[in-house]
């Protein structure tokens, strides 16, 4: 398969990436180096995992006690049945969300995951920083701090948060007409820095997922994280949200910094694109970055189309495993 972005090309260009980011976002080189790529040893080692959003509608039904609903505990069993090594257990589906779930629930989930040999990759929560309303942003910081403490008790090393508009297909420019990207970036970085300091105190990394178009390029995404300037704030690399002609190039630039992933079925349109992701190309990027850790997969339900995650997730997992083997 023709792959213009080979491992050799990546390794040659990787040392130049921090300087390239500095040039694009106007940062001094020393500021860029405040957040360096993760120092990894031993070569690539990946563990397929599940992002539970793949079962969003069924989990929401479970929260509402509907007939076809399932729970996060059911998905622990699913991971065990299909030899998925980890679970990214989003907080939306825990009892009482957006409030913290009872400790009894947290500890029971943690115990059961350990019994089944399923690693807890992380958890996630909603927040809204793409707003000029300081009170709303402050509420987001407070909420993230609450869920940092939930993640700590759960044993989740990463809490996934957002620094984009959460309305799919709505540009940040529509949410903030008249504001410059750099001004918004500065206040988002301030908010994330405060969250990262709380994460440091509780042993939880703030994992920023590129979701939407505010961080639509690698330079924008890495530029934001450089402004935060904390190694307790790092990318959760969403493969579906780089709005560039060749998103794989942006994925490759961010991969050395990633502490977790969301591997979707397409690299276009938030993962909903018609063109399927090239998993072998993705795995060459993962290997080029020397990544060691979980690769959570997330399948999506296109509006108005049939969707069965119990069939689709195992099929996608099979494709990922084939790509891992093919690039070994």
């Amino acid at each position: 398969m023709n792959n213009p972005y080979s491992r050799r090309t990546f390794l040659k260009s990787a040392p130049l990436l921090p300087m390239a980011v500095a040039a694009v976002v106007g940062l001094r080189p020393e500021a860029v180096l405040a957040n360096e790529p993760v120092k990894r040893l031993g070569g690539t080692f990946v563990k397929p995992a599940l992002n539970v959003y793949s079962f969003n509608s069924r989990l929401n039904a479970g929260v509402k006690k509907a007939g076809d609903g399932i729970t996060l505990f059911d998905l622990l069993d699913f991971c065990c049945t299909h030899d998925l090594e980890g679970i990214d257990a989003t907080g939306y589906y825990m009892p009482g969300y957006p409030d913290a779930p009872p400790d009894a629930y947290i500890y029971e989930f943690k115990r059961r995951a350990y019994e089944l040999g399923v690693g807890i990759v992380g958890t996630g929560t909603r927040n809204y920083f793409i707003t000029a309303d300081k009170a709303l942003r402050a509420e987001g910081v407070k909420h993230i701090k609450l869920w940092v403490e939930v993640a700590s008790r759960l044993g989740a090393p990463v809490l996934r948060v957002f620094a984009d508009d959460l309305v799919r297909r709505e540009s940040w420019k529509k949410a903030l007409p008249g504001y410059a990207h750099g001004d918004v970036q500065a206040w988002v970085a301030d908010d994330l820095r405060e969250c990262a300091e709380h994460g440091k105190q509780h042993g939880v990394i703030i994992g920023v997922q590129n979701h939407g178009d505010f961080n639509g390029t690698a330079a924008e995404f890495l530029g934001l994280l450089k402004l935060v300037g904390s190694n307790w704030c790092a990318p959760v690399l969403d493969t579906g949200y780089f709005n560039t002609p060749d998103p794989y190039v942006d994925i490759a630039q961010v991969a050395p910094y990633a502490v977790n992933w969301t591997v979707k079925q397409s690299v276009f349109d938030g993962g909903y694109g018609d063109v399927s992701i090239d998993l072998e190309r993705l795995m060459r990027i993962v290997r080029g970055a020397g990544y060691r850790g979980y690769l959570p997969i997330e399948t999506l339900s296109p509006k108005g189309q049939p969707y069965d995650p119990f069939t689709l997730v195992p099929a996608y997992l099979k494709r990922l495993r084939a790509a891992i083997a093919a690039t070994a």
Side-chain angles (χ1 to χ4, degrees):
M1 182 179 296
N2 182 27
N3 175 31
Y5 204 90
S6 66
R7 181 177 186 274
R8 181 175 296 174
T9 303
F10 174 83
L11 291 175
K12 286 181 178 179
S13 63
L16 301 177
L17 291 177
M19 301 308 150
V21 172
V24 173
V25 301
L27 297 177
R28 298 188 309 275
E30 58 268 28
V32 171
L33 294 175
N35 253 8
E36 296 182 344
V38 178
K39 294 178 175 63
R40 297 183 168 102
L41 301 173
T44 301
F45 181 70
V46 295
K47 299 179 282 187
L50 174 70
N51 186 308
V52 300
Y53 192 82
S54 301
F55 292 82
N56 177 54
S57 62
R58 300 291 294 275
L59 286 165
N60 280 329
V63 170
K64 298 173 183 176
K65 310 294 185 184
D68 63 346
I70 62 173
T71 70
L72 291 177
F73 282 88
D74 294 323
L75 291 183
L76 284 177
D77 294 345
F78 177 88
C79 288
C80 187
T81 300
H82 293 280
D83 291 329
L84 280 154
E85 298 186 50
I87 187 168
D88 193 330
T90 306
Y92 317 158
Y93 315 111
M94 296 183 186
Y97 186 86
D99 294 331
D103 283 352
Y105 176 91
I106 296 171
Y107 299 147
E108 183 63 19
F109 187 87
K110 184 177 180 180
R111 182 190 67 81
R112 185 58 178 157
Y114 181 77
E115 287 179 343
L116 294 176
V118 179
I120 297 176
V121 176
T123 186
T125 190
R126 294 187 181 97
N127 62 283
Y128 195 70
F129 287 162
I130 304 300
T131 174
D133 186 336
K134 293 182 179 180
L136 186 55
R137 298 202 309 270
E139 186 61 32
V141 170
K142 180 181 178 181
H143 179 72
I144 288 172
K145 288 180 177 180
L146 172 69
W147 277 86
V148 159
E149 296 172 21
V150 172
S152 182
R153 296 196 296 276
L154 183 63
V158 177
L159 175 67
R160 183 167 24 82
V161 305
F162 299 101
D164 269 302
D165 187 31
L166 292 184
V167 180
R168 191 166 70 87
R169 295 189 177 93
E170 178 172 290
S171 172
W172 71 270
K173 295 177 182 178
K174 184 176 179 180
L176 285 168
Y179 283 85
H181 188 280
D183 294 336
V184 180
Q185 186 184 61
W187 78 51
V188 172
D190 289 343
D191 294 336
L192 288 172
R193 191 178 306 112
E194 183 176 346
C195 295
E197 183 59 33
H198 196 68
K200 179 180 179 179
Q201 295 170 12
H202 292 272
V204 175
I205 299 168
I206 301 299
V208 183
Q209 182 174 348
N210 52 309
H211 181 291
D213 69 343
F214 185 72
N215 295 300
T217 70
E220 289 171 341
F221 195 20
L222 293 176
L224 170 65
L225 295 166
K226 303 308 175 186
L227 281 181
V228 176
S230 170
N231 59 5
W232 288 91
C233 184
V236 171
L237 208 169
D238 187 328
T239 60
Y241 268 110
F242 288 117
N243 301 318
T244 57
D246 188 352
Y248 294 97
V249 174
D250 296 82
I251 292 169
Q253 291 175 358
V254 177
Y257 300 82
V259 293
N260 199 4
W261 292 67
T262 302
V263 180
K264 293 179 175 173
Q265 297 155 282
S266 177
V267 296
F268 300 106
D269 194 24
Y272 289 87
D274 294 331
V275 179
S276 294
I277 190 171
D278 184 340
L279 286 172
E280 288 191 19
R281 186 176 180 187
L282 179 70
M283 279 308 307
R284 284 191 288 270
I285 291 170
V286 170
R287 293 187 185 282
Y291 179 74
R292 297 181 64 86
Y294 293 102
L295 279 182
I297 57 175
E298 180 182 308
T299 60
L300 298 168
S301 173
K303 188 175 182 179
Q305 298 182 28
Y307 176 76
D308 179 13
F310 287 102
T311 300
L312 193 56
V313 171
Y316 191 39
L317 174 61
K318 183 178 180 180
R319 285 184 57 210
L320 177 62
R321 286 188 170 133
I324 292 171
T327 57

